[in-house]
Amino acid sequence: MTDLATLQTPEQYATARSTLYPSETSLRWFIRRNRPELVEAEAITCPTGQWLVIPDKFDRVAMEIGKRRARAGL
């Protein structure tokens, strides 16, 4: 179960991972492109109408997506 105190806004998450997501726009693009997988993995949630990131789960999913893309030669 996720501790509510660990939830971050996309802006907070992007700031903490600026090497991977140099802007909030790049993170939002990643979320749009991978939303079903992120929701399924419980890496993002929307309890009040605003998307929130669960950092440890999001990190895992982002790494898996990155590995998959690397294997595909992208």
Side-chain angles (χ1 to χ4, degrees):
M1 184 171 191
T2 299
D3 179 4
L4 294 177
T6 65
L7 296 175
Q8 294 181 351
T9 66
E11 298 86 358
Q12 291 168 320
Y13 184 81
T15 298
R17 285 145 182 89
S18 61
T19 301
L20 189 55
Y21 307 106
S23 69
E24 180 190 343
T25 303
S26 64
L27 175 61
R28 290 201 181 274
W29 173 88
F30 183 85
I31 291 172
R32 273 193 314 274
R33 183 173 172 131
N34 299 288
R35 182 173 290 135
E37 188 170 353
L38 292 164
V39 170
E40 182 64 29
E42 299 178 359
I44 58 174
T45 188
C46 192
T48 61
Q50 176 186 357
W51 286 104
L52 297 171
V53 174
I54 297 101
D56 60 332
K57 293 179 181 183
F58 198 104
D59 290 347
R60 275 194 298 277
V61 174
M63 289 297 291
E64 288 301 316
I65 291 168
K67 284 192 264 183
R68 206 169 46 239
R69 291 186 71 187
R71 281 193 297 266
L74 297 177

